[in-house]
């Protein structure tokens, strides 16, 4: 539909935050963050607990409105952004319903909903769903009830859902929490392969070693941006120590 | 007014309390008449079908002399579809109690209707005022939850008790004539389902099933994962509002035979049973409707032959079915604990890269 107008400039930033601040009452959770992510980038956001990573993500996705500054997603205001099919989102484990009877395939199917709207899934849509399932190695579990699976298996299903959406931008909020070590490696390989196909990846991750190894660019956050550059420079810089250092002091006052 | 066009709606409003014949159907104008006419025509076809079934089976419960039983069965069957349909989306969001809260505000709506009829001779069906009041309350609950960012027990409990308190107060204000009619709203009554209230229920049924059929994708996404649904561009707040309004409609529709106190059970119990035995979401929808219909039909049958209140016995049957479903679910999962399939490896771009991921 209106995707054409966004595609007019293929090199325009996918995500553009300028001077974004957000706070619950007086204490800012995110303070004056400016950040632009270009198409095809692989960006990881790291920072200590409570550093505003998840808040920044919610601001980026338009789930929260900034108190100051602007957030643009594919060139339009994030909170008015309605091209859901361009964004694939993998959340932390807890967000989905826990005891609902629903199969893995039905979950992955939801990735197609932004494309079909009120309609039914066509056979092509189902083919994409099944491809996504086999990409994450979950074909054998397609008809299993998702609540009866292990954390790692469930997370794979959610990744498959994001893949089924055929999004241009993948946003992942600590996707590997609770996933077994071997699957984590395979998962990062998959992300790398998707990124090689010019899918933009924005990743929030607590595992700094993984980030340094896989992402191209690292943003180190603790309320403010402490570092923004290539992962190689990040490893050599003292940004992490500074960010985590202030976190432990800042942690005292809440 | 065009009210004279509706057959059988002479001024009977002095019989407040919705005893048959119920007060007139207040949708005005040609469109209202047409709609009402269509619904009554459908009701005629239903009588005809029931007569045929009676002719072949000889079941005393659908003897053509008891038209009210035909209407009660129709209402029961509709409730058996729409209650679990809506209930499925509520239960899996931990909103099982919202039905209870809305039923009690529906009761307040009934009281408002009875009160207006008695005081100013308004002459509307109390079920219609109940729908309106319950829908306003539903929106109110939803707006509270949007402002406070959570559905919480406290706001639900406040709305529930406010509704019931308002209802009882209005009724006691007006004691004399009204108390007679109140029991049927509290506990439901098969024999008081008038053609008018059956028609109201059919209209609600069409709206509810139609809305769910159109928005099933969005409702499913929001029910399962509200955040991801919001990211994918679904307006979560709007669909939540639609959902609570539909719930209000179901509750008031089912109130006729279930009564205020038990109506929420139909939203929850069949769904809970279906959750035990189903694997997929679509399966659970179908199973919950089947279980609800079973409970309704058995319940109405027992109520008729045993001379007991339908609402209570329907819920008891539903709970019995639920217990069976739990047992069946346990047996299923015990037998289903065979070796799980092996996790495949994650394939980046078709190439087999994560060979270590299998076999845990």
């Amino acid at each position: 539909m209106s995707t054409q107008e966004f595609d007019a400039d293929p090199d325009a930033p996918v995500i553009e935050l300028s001077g974004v601040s957000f706070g619950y009452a007086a204490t800012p959770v995110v303070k004056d963050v400016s950040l632009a992510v270009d198409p095809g980038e692989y960006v990881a956001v790291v920072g200590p607990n409570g550093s505003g990573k998840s808040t920044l993500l919610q601001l980026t996705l338009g789930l929260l409105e900034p108190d100051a500054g602007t957030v643009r997603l594919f060139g339009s205001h994030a909170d008015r952004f309605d091209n859901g099919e361009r964004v694939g989102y993998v959340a932390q484990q807890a967000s989905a319903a826990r005891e609902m009877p629903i199969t893995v395939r039905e979950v992955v199917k939801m990735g197609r909903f932004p494309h079909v709207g009120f309609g039914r899934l066509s056979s092509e849509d189902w083919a994409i769903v099944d491809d996504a399932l086999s990409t994450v190695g979950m074909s054998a579990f397609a008809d299993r009830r998702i609540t009866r699976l292990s954390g790692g298996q469930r997370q794979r299903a959610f990744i498959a859902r994001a893949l089924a959406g055929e999004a241009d931008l993948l946003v992942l909020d600590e996707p590997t929490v609770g996933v077994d070590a071997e699957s984590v490696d395979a998962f990062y390989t998959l992300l790398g392969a998707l990124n090689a196909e010019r899918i933009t990846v924005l990743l929030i991750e607590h595992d700094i070693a993984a980030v340094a190894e896989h992402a191209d660019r690292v943003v180190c956050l603790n309320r403010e941006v402490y570092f923004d550059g290539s992962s190689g420079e990040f490893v050599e810089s003292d940004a992490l120590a500074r960010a985590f250092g202030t976190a432990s002091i800042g942690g005292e006052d809440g | 007014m065009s009210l004279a066009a509706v057959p059988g709606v002479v001024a009977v409003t002095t019989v407040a309390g919705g005893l048959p014949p119920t007060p007139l159907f207040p949708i005005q104008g040609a469109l209202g008449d047409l709609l009402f006419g269509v619904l009554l025509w459908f009701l005629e076809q239903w009588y005809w079908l029931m007569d045929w079934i009676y002719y072949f089976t000889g079941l005393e419960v659908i003897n053509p002399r008891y038209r009210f039983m035909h209407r009660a069965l129709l209402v029961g069957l509709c409730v058996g579809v729409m209650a679990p349909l809506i209930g499925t989306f509520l239960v899996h969001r931990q909103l099982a109690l919202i039905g209870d809260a809305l039923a009690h505000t529906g009761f307040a709506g009934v009281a408002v209707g009875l009160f207006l009829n008695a005081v100013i001779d308004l002459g509307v069906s109390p079920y219609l005022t109940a729908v309106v009041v319950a829908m306003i309350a539903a929106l109110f609950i939803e707006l509270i939850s949007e402002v406070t960012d959570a559905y919480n027990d406290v706001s639900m409990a406040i709305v529930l008790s406010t509704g019931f308190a308002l209802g009882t107060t209005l009724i006691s204000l007006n004691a004399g004539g009204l108390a007679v009619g109140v029991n049927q709203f509290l506990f439901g009554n098969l024999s008081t389902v008038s053609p008018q209230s059956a028609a109201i229920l059919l209209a609600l049924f069409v709206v509810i099933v139609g809305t769910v059929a159109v928005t099933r994708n969005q409702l499913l996404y929001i029910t399962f994962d509200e955040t991801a649904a919001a990211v994918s561009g679904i307006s979560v707040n709007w669909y939540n509002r639609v959902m609570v309004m539909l719930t209000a409609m179901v509750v008031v529709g089912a109130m006729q035979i279930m009564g205020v106190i038990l109506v929420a059970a139909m939203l929850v119990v069949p769904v809970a049973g279906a959750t035990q035995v189903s694997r997929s979401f679509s399966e659970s929808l179908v199973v919950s409707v089947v279980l609800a219909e079973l409970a309704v039909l058995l319940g109405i049958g027992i109520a008729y032959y045993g001379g007991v209140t339908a609402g209570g016995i329907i819920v008891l049957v539903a709970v019995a079915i639920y217990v069976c479903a739990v047992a069946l679910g346990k047996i299923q999962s015990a037998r289903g604990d065979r070796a799980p399939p092996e996790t495949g490896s994650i394939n980046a771009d078709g190439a087999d890269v994560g060979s270590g991921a299998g076999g845990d």
Side-chain angles (χ1 to χ4, degrees), chain A residues 84 95-97 101-102 106 113 117-119 134-135 137 141 143-145 153 156 161, chain B residues 92 214 216-218 224-225 228 232 275 278-282 341 343-345 347 357:
Chain A
S95 82
I102 188 163
E106 281 177 313
F113 284 173
F118 297 116
S134 80
T135 304
F141 288 85
D143 292 323
R144 289 286 172 129
R145 202 166 146 167
Q153 290 167 334
R156 287 180 184 215
R161 178 173 74 187
Chain B
H92 298 305
V214 171
R216 67 204 184 289
N217 287 353
Q218 287 77 5
F224 182 67
D225 191 341
S232 83
T275 304
S278 316
R279 211 159 39 176
S280 73
F281 185 73
S282 35
T343 319
S345 50
N347 296 305

mmCIF file of all heavy atoms in Angstrom, chain A residues 84 95-97 101-102 106 113 117-119 134-135 137 141 143-145 153 156 161, chain B residues 92 214 216-218 224-225 228 232 275 278-282 341 343-345 347 357:
data_model
loop_
_atom_site.group_PDB
_atom_site.id
_atom_site.type_symbol
_atom_site.label_atom_id
_atom_site.label_comp_id
_atom_site.label_asym_id
_atom_site.label_seq_id
_atom_site.Cartn_x
_atom_site.Cartn_y
_atom_site.Cartn_z
ATOM 1 N N GLY A 84 2.960 -2.001 10.172
ATOM 2 C CA GLY A 84 3.393 -3.071 11.048
ATOM 3 C C GLY A 84 4.162 -4.168 10.343
ATOM 4 O O GLY A 84 4.999 -4.834 10.946
ATOM 5 N N SER A 95 6.396 -11.952 27.851
ATOM 6 C CA SER A 95 5.268 -11.134 27.408
ATOM 7 C C SER A 95 4.050 -11.916 26.921
ATOM 8 O O SER A 95 2.939 -11.422 27.006
ATOM 9 C CB SER A 95 5.724 -10.171 26.324
ATOM 10 O OG SER A 95 5.761 -10.826 25.080
ATOM 11 N N ALA A 96 4.219 -13.120 26.423
ATOM 12 C CA ALA A 96 3.080 -13.808 25.822
ATOM 13 C C ALA A 96 2.242 -14.542 26.868
ATOM 14 O O ALA A 96 2.692 -14.835 27.962
ATOM 15 C CB ALA A 96 3.571 -14.788 24.773
ATOM 16 N N ALA A 97 1.003 -14.826 26.484
ATOM 17 C CA ALA A 97 0.082 -15.544 27.369
ATOM 18 C C ALA A 97 0.677 -16.901 27.739
ATOM 19 O O ALA A 97 1.303 -17.553 26.912
ATOM 20 C CB ALA A 97 -1.263 -15.738 26.679
ATOM 21 N N PRO A 101 -4.094 -22.469 24.926
ATOM 22 C CA PRO A 101 -3.865 -23.551 23.984
ATOM 23 C C PRO A 101 -3.631 -22.984 22.585
ATOM 24 O O PRO A 101 -4.555 -22.468 21.968
ATOM 25 C CB PRO A 101 -5.171 -24.359 24.035
ATOM 26 C CG PRO A 101 -6.196 -23.396 24.474
ATOM 27 C CD PRO A 101 -5.510 -22.315 25.263
ATOM 28 N N ILE A 102 -2.427 -23.067 22.125
ATOM 29 C CA ILE A 102 -2.125 -22.532 20.797
ATOM 30 C C ILE A 102 -0.885 -23.256 20.286
ATOM 31 O O ILE A 102 0.038 -23.524 21.056
ATOM 32 C CB ILE A 102 -1.936 -20.998 20.868
ATOM 33 C CG1 ILE A 102 -1.808 -20.406 19.472
ATOM 34 C CG2 ILE A 102 -0.758 -20.600 21.737
ATOM 35 C CD1 ILE A 102 -2.023 -18.913 19.437
ATOM 36 N N GLU A 106 0.371 -21.783 14.812
ATOM 37 C CA GLU A 106 -0.573 -20.675 14.968
ATOM 38 C C GLU A 106 0.121 -19.406 15.445
ATOM 39 O O GLU A 106 -0.299 -18.297 15.120
ATOM 40 C CB GLU A 106 -1.695 -21.059 15.950
ATOM 41 C CG GLU A 106 -2.760 -21.935 15.323
ATOM 42 C CD GLU A 106 -3.829 -22.361 16.325
ATOM 43 O OE1 GLU A 106 -3.461 -22.796 17.432
ATOM 44 O OE2 GLU A 106 -5.005 -22.276 15.994
ATOM 45 N N PHE A 113 -0.251 -11.678 9.972
ATOM 46 C CA PHE A 113 -1.458 -10.869 10.186
ATOM 47 C C PHE A 113 -1.341 -9.434 9.660
ATOM 48 O O PHE A 113 -2.294 -8.925 9.069
ATOM 49 C CB PHE A 113 -1.847 -10.856 11.671
ATOM 50 C CG PHE A 113 -2.499 -12.134 12.134
ATOM 51 C CD1 PHE A 113 -2.773 -12.338 13.478
ATOM 52 C CD2 PHE A 113 -2.855 -13.123 11.230
ATOM 53 C CE1 PHE A 113 -3.382 -13.512 13.912
ATOM 54 C CE2 PHE A 113 -3.450 -14.297 11.649
ATOM 55 C CZ PHE A 113 -3.716 -14.487 12.993
ATOM 56 N N GLY A 117 -4.436 -8.531 7.233
ATOM 57 C CA GLY A 117 -5.488 -7.702 7.820
ATOM 58 C C GLY A 117 -6.655 -8.530 8.313
ATOM 59 O O GLY A 117 -6.495 -9.418 9.134
ATOM 60 N N PHE A 118 -7.841 -8.243 7.785
ATOM 61 C CA PHE A 118 -9.032 -8.980 8.197
ATOM 62 C C PHE A 118 -9.225 -10.267 7.399
ATOM 63 O O PHE A 118 -10.145 -11.023 7.650
ATOM 64 C CB PHE A 118 -10.288 -8.112 8.034
ATOM 65 C CG PHE A 118 -10.281 -6.895 8.906
ATOM 66 C CD1 PHE A 118 -10.265 -5.632 8.354
ATOM 67 C CD2 PHE A 118 -10.284 -7.020 10.285
ATOM 68 C CE1 PHE A 118 -10.250 -4.505 9.162
ATOM 69 C CE2 PHE A 118 -10.268 -5.904 11.102
ATOM 70 C CZ PHE A 118 -10.250 -4.642 10.533
ATOM 71 N N GLY A 119 -8.364 -10.482 6.415
ATOM 72 C CA GLY A 119 -8.577 -11.601 5.501
ATOM 73 C C GLY A 119 -8.034 -12.924 6.015
ATOM 74 O O GLY A 119 -7.613 -13.035 7.164
ATOM 75 N N SER A 134 10.879 -23.918 9.360
ATOM 76 C CA SER A 134 12.017 -24.790 9.069
ATOM 77 C C SER A 134 13.330 -24.023 9.204
ATOM 78 O O SER A 134 14.348 -24.603 9.572
ATOM 79 C CB SER A 134 11.863 -25.438 7.690
ATOM 80 O OG SER A 134 12.248 -24.543 6.686
ATOM 81 N N THR A 135 13.302 -22.712 8.975
ATOM 82 C CA THR A 135 14.520 -21.919 9.162
ATOM 83 C C THR A 135 15.008 -21.984 10.608
ATOM 84 O O THR A 135 16.205 -22.053 10.862
ATOM 85 C CB THR A 135 14.269 -20.453 8.770
ATOM 86 O OG1 THR A 135 13.786 -20.414 7.447
ATOM 87 C CG2 THR A 135 15.553 -19.638 8.866
ATOM 88 N N GLY A 137 14.314 -24.424 12.584
ATOM 89 C CA GLY A 137 14.416 -25.826 12.979
ATOM 90 C C GLY A 137 13.280 -26.309 13.850
ATOM 91 O O GLY A 137 13.458 -27.181 14.688
ATOM 92 N N PHE A 141 7.838 -29.402 15.417
ATOM 93 C CA PHE A 141 7.027 -28.972 16.550
ATOM 94 C C PHE A 141 5.816 -28.159 16.120
ATOM 95 O O PHE A 141 5.119 -27.618 16.970
ATOM 96 C CB PHE A 141 7.861 -28.128 17.505
ATOM 97 C CG PHE A 141 8.868 -28.921 18.278
ATOM 98 C CD1 PHE A 141 10.106 -29.212 17.746
ATOM 99 C CD2 PHE A 141 8.548 -29.397 19.543
ATOM 100 C CE1 PHE A 141 11.023 -29.943 18.460
ATOM 101 C CE2 PHE A 141 9.462 -30.135 20.258
ATOM 102 C CZ PHE A 141 10.700 -30.418 19.715
ATOM 103 N N ASP A 143 2.837 -28.547 15.283
ATOM 104 C CA ASP A 143 1.519 -28.770 15.858
ATOM 105 C C ASP A 143 1.553 -29.010 17.362
ATOM 106 O O ASP A 143 0.590 -29.488 17.946
ATOM 107 C CB ASP A 143 0.826 -29.935 15.149
ATOM 108 C CG ASP A 143 0.493 -29.580 13.714
ATOM 109 O OD1 ASP A 143 0.125 -28.414 13.481
ATOM 110 O OD2 ASP A 143 0.630 -30.453 12.832
ATOM 111 N N ARG A 144 2.673 -28.672 17.972
ATOM 112 C CA ARG A 144 2.768 -28.791 19.427
ATOM 113 C C ARG A 144 2.187 -27.553 20.090
ATOM 114 O O ARG A 144 2.270 -26.454 19.554
ATOM 115 C CB ARG A 144 4.240 -28.931 19.846
ATOM 116 C CG ARG A 144 4.838 -30.245 19.473
ATOM 117 C CD ARG A 144 4.280 -31.280 20.400
ATOM 118 N NE ARG A 144 4.663 -32.611 20.008
ATOM 119 C CZ ARG A 144 5.209 -33.489 20.869
ATOM 120 N NH1 ARG A 144 5.439 -33.130 22.101
ATOM 121 N NH2 ARG A 144 5.502 -34.686 20.463
ATOM 122 N N ARG A 145 1.666 -27.755 21.292
ATOM 123 C CA ARG A 145 1.173 -26.619 22.051
ATOM 124 C C ARG A 145 2.377 -25.846 22.575
ATOM 125 O O ARG A 145 3.261 -26.427 23.209
ATOM 126 C CB ARG A 145 0.322 -27.148 23.197
ATOM 127 C CG ARG A 145 -0.643 -26.155 23.740
ATOM 128 C CD ARG A 145 -1.652 -26.850 24.604
ATOM 129 N NE ARG A 145 -2.019 -25.967 25.696
ATOM 130 C CZ ARG A 145 -3.053 -26.180 26.493
ATOM 131 N NH1 ARG A 145 -3.802 -27.256 26.329
ATOM 132 N NH2 ARG A 145 -3.340 -25.354 27.459
ATOM 133 N N GLN A 153 12.965 -23.448 22.878
ATOM 134 C CA GLN A 153 12.108 -23.799 21.740
ATOM 135 C C GLN A 153 11.054 -22.722 21.508
ATOM 136 O O GLN A 153 10.752 -22.353 20.377
ATOM 137 C CB GLN A 153 11.426 -25.143 22.001
ATOM 138 C CG GLN A 153 12.400 -26.305 21.943
ATOM 139 C CD GLN A 153 11.790 -27.562 22.514
ATOM 140 O OE1 GLN A 153 10.895 -27.519 23.359
ATOM 141 N NE2 GLN A 153 12.269 -28.707 22.055
ATOM 142 N N ARG A 156 12.514 -19.769 19.799
ATOM 143 C CA ARG A 156 12.678 -20.017 18.356
ATOM 144 C C ARG A 156 11.381 -19.755 17.613
ATOM 145 O O ARG A 156 11.387 -19.216 16.508
ATOM 146 C CB ARG A 156 13.070 -21.472 18.124
ATOM 147 C CG ARG A 156 14.474 -21.806 18.507
ATOM 148 C CD ARG A 156 14.676 -23.262 18.205
ATOM 149 N NE ARG A 156 15.980 -23.724 18.614
ATOM 150 C CZ ARG A 156 16.657 -24.646 17.945
ATOM 151 N NH1 ARG A 156 16.134 -25.179 16.863
ATOM 152 N NH2 ARG A 156 17.831 -25.028 18.355
ATOM 153 N N ARG A 161 8.154 -16.270 14.064
ATOM 154 C CA ARG A 161 7.039 -15.347 13.827
ATOM 155 C C ARG A 161 7.551 -14.035 13.228
ATOM 156 O O ARG A 161 6.958 -13.506 12.282
ATOM 157 C CB ARG A 161 6.297 -15.063 15.131
ATOM 158 C CG ARG A 161 5.177 -14.072 14.948
ATOM 159 C CD ARG A 161 4.347 -13.927 16.189
ATOM 160 N NE ARG A 161 5.055 -13.157 17.201
ATOM 161 C CZ ARG A 161 4.613 -12.983 18.446
ATOM 162 N NH1 ARG A 161 3.492 -13.539 18.820
ATOM 163 N NH2 ARG A 161 5.309 -12.288 19.308
ATOM 164 N N HIS B 92 -8.036 -16.130 28.397
ATOM 165 C CA HIS B 92 -6.598 -16.208 28.182
ATOM 166 C C HIS B 92 -5.893 -14.888 28.408
ATOM 167 O O HIS B 92 -4.682 -14.789 28.296
ATOM 168 C CB HIS B 92 -6.306 -16.775 26.799
ATOM 169 C CG HIS B 92 -6.836 -18.162 26.653
ATOM 170 N ND1 HIS B 92 -6.494 -19.151 27.537
ATOM 171 C CD2 HIS B 92 -7.722 -18.708 25.799
ATOM 172 C CE1 HIS B 92 -7.136 -20.259 27.206
ATOM 173 N NE2 HIS B 92 -7.891 -20.007 26.156
ATOM 174 N N VAL B 214 -14.950 -11.096 11.776
ATOM 175 C CA VAL B 214 -14.165 -10.135 10.998
ATOM 176 C C VAL B 214 -12.820 -9.866 11.675
ATOM 177 O O VAL B 214 -11.780 -9.808 11.019
ATOM 178 C CB VAL B 214 -14.953 -8.824 10.804
ATOM 179 C CG1 VAL B 214 -14.065 -7.742 10.202
ATOM 180 C CG2 VAL B 214 -16.155 -9.072 9.912
ATOM 181 N N ARG B 216 -11.096 -11.635 13.967
ATOM 182 C CA ARG B 216 -10.509 -12.761 14.701
ATOM 183 C C ARG B 216 -8.978 -12.707 14.722
ATOM 184 O O ARG B 216 -8.358 -13.023 15.745
ATOM 185 C CB ARG B 216 -10.982 -14.082 14.099
ATOM 186 C CG ARG B 216 -10.447 -14.305 12.693
ATOM 187 C CD ARG B 216 -11.287 -15.243 11.882
ATOM 188 N NE ARG B 216 -10.675 -15.475 10.589
ATOM 189 C CZ ARG B 216 -10.620 -14.560 9.615
ATOM 190 N NH1 ARG B 216 -11.118 -13.359 9.802
ATOM 191 N NH2 ARG B 216 -10.031 -14.828 8.469
ATOM 192 N N ASN B 217 -8.355 -12.286 13.613
ATOM 193 C CA ASN B 217 -6.890 -12.213 13.578
ATOM 194 C C ASN B 217 -6.373 -11.258 14.645
ATOM 195 O O ASN B 217 -5.469 -11.590 15.416
ATOM 196 C CB ASN B 217 -6.410 -11.710 12.218
ATOM 197 C CG ASN B 217 -6.572 -12.747 11.127
ATOM 198 O OD1 ASN B 217 -6.930 -13.890 11.408
ATOM 199 N ND2 ASN B 217 -6.338 -12.346 9.901
ATOM 200 N N GLN B 218 -6.938 -10.064 14.658
ATOM 201 C CA GLN B 218 -6.478 -9.043 15.589
ATOM 202 C C GLN B 218 -6.734 -9.476 17.027
ATOM 203 O O GLN B 218 -5.879 -9.302 17.895
ATOM 204 C CB GLN B 218 -7.196 -7.719 15.294
ATOM 205 C CG GLN B 218 -6.728 -7.012 14.036
ATOM 206 C CD GLN B 218 -7.285 -7.629 12.753
ATOM 207 O OE1 GLN B 218 -8.103 -8.544 12.780
ATOM 208 N NE2 GLN B 218 -6.828 -7.141 11.614
ATOM 209 N N PHE B 224 -2.936 -13.170 22.642
ATOM 210 C CA PHE B 224 -1.730 -13.950 22.885
ATOM 211 C C PHE B 224 -0.560 -13.069 23.308
ATOM 212 O O PHE B 224 0.194 -13.418 24.218
ATOM 213 C CB PHE B 224 -1.356 -14.744 21.629
ATOM 214 C CG PHE B 224 -0.154 -15.613 21.830
ATOM 215 C CD1 PHE B 224 -0.218 -16.695 22.692
ATOM 216 C CD2 PHE B 224 1.034 -15.342 21.192
ATOM 217 C CE1 PHE B 224 0.877 -17.499 22.902
ATOM 218 C CE2 PHE B 224 2.141 -16.144 21.397
ATOM 219 C CZ PHE B 224 2.068 -17.228 22.253
ATOM 220 N N ASP B 225 -0.385 -11.959 22.664
ATOM 221 C CA ASP B 225 0.822 -11.158 22.890
ATOM 222 C C ASP B 225 0.510 -9.702 22.555
ATOM 223 O O ASP B 225 0.658 -9.260 21.421
ATOM 224 C CB ASP B 225 1.936 -11.690 21.985
ATOM 225 C CG ASP B 225 3.290 -11.107 22.335
ATOM 226 O OD1 ASP B 225 3.327 -10.070 22.997
ATOM 227 O OD2 ASP B 225 4.298 -11.705 21.926
ATOM 228 N N ALA B 228 3.508 -7.437 21.050
ATOM 229 C CA ALA B 228 3.836 -7.713 19.653
ATOM 230 C C ALA B 228 2.697 -7.268 18.741
ATOM 231 O O ALA B 228 2.930 -6.786 17.624
ATOM 232 C CB ALA B 228 4.111 -9.202 19.463
ATOM 233 N N SER B 232 2.928 -4.637 15.662
ATOM 234 C CA SER B 232 2.540 -4.970 14.298
ATOM 235 C C SER B 232 1.475 -4.024 13.764
ATOM 236 O O SER B 232 0.928 -4.248 12.684
ATOM 237 C CB SER B 232 2.041 -6.410 14.226
ATOM 238 O OG SER B 232 0.685 -6.465 14.599
ATOM 239 N N THR B 275 -9.720 -25.650 27.214
ATOM 240 C CA THR B 275 -8.278 -25.430 27.367
ATOM 241 C C THR B 275 -7.567 -26.706 27.796
ATOM 242 O O THR B 275 -6.424 -26.953 27.407
ATOM 243 C CB THR B 275 -8.037 -24.317 28.417
ATOM 244 O OG1 THR B 275 -8.753 -23.159 28.010
ATOM 245 C CG2 THR B 275 -6.572 -23.983 28.549
ATOM 246 N N SER B 278 -7.581 -29.160 24.399
ATOM 247 C CA SER B 278 -7.231 -28.729 23.042
ATOM 248 C C SER B 278 -5.750 -28.410 22.939
ATOM 249 O O SER B 278 -5.115 -28.032 23.906
ATOM 250 C CB SER B 278 -8.008 -27.479 22.653
ATOM 251 O OG SER B 278 -9.334 -27.596 23.024
ATOM 252 N N ARG B 279 -5.249 -28.560 21.731
ATOM 253 C CA ARG B 279 -3.867 -28.226 21.476
ATOM 254 C C ARG B 279 -3.776 -26.880 20.787
ATOM 255 O O ARG B 279 -2.969 -26.046 21.142
ATOM 256 C CB ARG B 279 -3.239 -29.310 20.601
ATOM 257 C CG ARG B 279 -1.793 -29.488 20.853
ATOM 258 C CD ARG B 279 -1.308 -30.820 20.392
ATOM 259 N NE ARG B 279 -1.920 -31.216 19.132
ATOM 260 C CZ ARG B 279 -1.585 -32.323 18.476
ATOM 261 N NH1 ARG B 279 -0.672 -33.108 18.975
ATOM 262 N NH2 ARG B 279 -2.161 -32.641 17.350
ATOM 263 N N SER B 280 -4.632 -26.687 19.804
ATOM 264 C CA SER B 280 -4.544 -25.439 19.043
ATOM 265 C C SER B 280 -5.664 -24.500 19.453
ATOM 266 O O SER B 280 -6.638 -24.898 20.099
ATOM 267 C CB SER B 280 -4.646 -25.721 17.552
ATOM 268 O OG SER B 280 -5.970 -26.064 17.211
ATOM 269 N N PHE B 281 -5.499 -23.253 19.063
ATOM 270 C CA PHE B 281 -6.471 -22.237 19.426
ATOM 271 C C PHE B 281 -7.797 -22.467 18.714
ATOM 272 O O PHE B 281 -8.866 -22.397 19.321
ATOM 273 C CB PHE B 281 -5.921 -20.851 19.087
ATOM 274 C CG PHE B 281 -6.811 -19.736 19.535
ATOM 275 C CD1 PHE B 281 -6.900 -19.421 20.865
ATOM 276 C CD2 PHE B 281 -7.560 -19.024 18.615
ATOM 277 C CE1 PHE B 281 -7.730 -18.400 21.298
ATOM 278 C CE2 PHE B 281 -8.389 -17.999 19.038
ATOM 279 C CZ PHE B 281 -8.472 -17.687 20.370
ATOM 280 N N SER B 282 -7.736 -22.772 17.420
ATOM 281 C CA SER B 282 -8.988 -22.963 16.691
ATOM 282 C C SER B 282 -9.737 -24.173 17.236
ATOM 283 O O SER B 282 -10.957 -24.158 17.362
ATOM 284 C CB SER B 282 -8.729 -23.099 15.190
ATOM 285 O OG SER B 282 -7.523 -23.765 14.946
ATOM 286 N N PRO B 341 9.545 -34.880 19.472
ATOM 287 C CA PRO B 341 10.342 -34.818 18.241
ATOM 288 C C PRO B 341 11.634 -34.063 18.491
ATOM 289 O O PRO B 341 11.735 -33.254 19.406
ATOM 290 C CB PRO B 341 9.438 -34.061 17.270
ATOM 291 C CG PRO B 341 8.462 -33.333 18.124
ATOM 292 C CD PRO B 341 8.295 -34.144 19.358
ATOM 293 N N THR B 343 14.448 -31.374 18.085
ATOM 294 C CA THR B 343 14.546 -30.002 17.609
ATOM 295 C C THR B 343 15.475 -29.965 16.416
ATOM 296 O O THR B 343 16.591 -30.477 16.486
ATOM 297 C CB THR B 343 15.156 -29.097 18.689
ATOM 298 O OG1 THR B 343 14.618 -29.463 19.944
ATOM 299 C CG2 THR B 343 14.852 -27.646 18.404
ATOM 300 N N GLY B 344 15.003 -29.355 15.359
ATOM 301 C CA GLY B 344 15.885 -29.225 14.204
ATOM 302 C C GLY B 344 16.912 -28.153 14.477
ATOM 303 O O GLY B 344 16.821 -27.404 15.440
ATOM 304 N N SER B 345 17.899 -28.062 13.621
ATOM 305 C CA SER B 345 18.886 -27.010 13.811
ATOM 306 C C SER B 345 18.404 -25.734 13.147
ATOM 307 O O SER B 345 17.574 -25.753 12.249
ATOM 308 C CB SER B 345 20.213 -27.440 13.201
ATOM 309 O OG SER B 345 19.990 -27.895 11.898
ATOM 310 N N ASN B 347 18.577 -22.985 10.644
ATOM 311 C CA ASN B 347 19.198 -22.900 9.332
ATOM 312 C C ASN B 347 19.323 -21.461 8.904
ATOM 313 O O ASN B 347 18.332 -20.814 8.644
ATOM 314 C CB ASN B 347 18.336 -23.608 8.289
ATOM 315 C CG ASN B 347 18.240 -25.079 8.564
ATOM 316 O OD1 ASN B 347 19.253 -25.753 8.679
ATOM 317 N ND2 ASN B 347 17.024 -25.576 8.712
ATOM 318 N N ALA B 357 22.508 -27.985 17.701
ATOM 319 C CA ALA B 357 21.309 -27.568 18.422
ATOM 320 C C ALA B 357 20.337 -28.707 18.672
ATOM 321 O O ALA B 357 19.422 -28.583 19.456
ATOM 322 C CB ALA B 357 20.602 -26.465 17.645
#
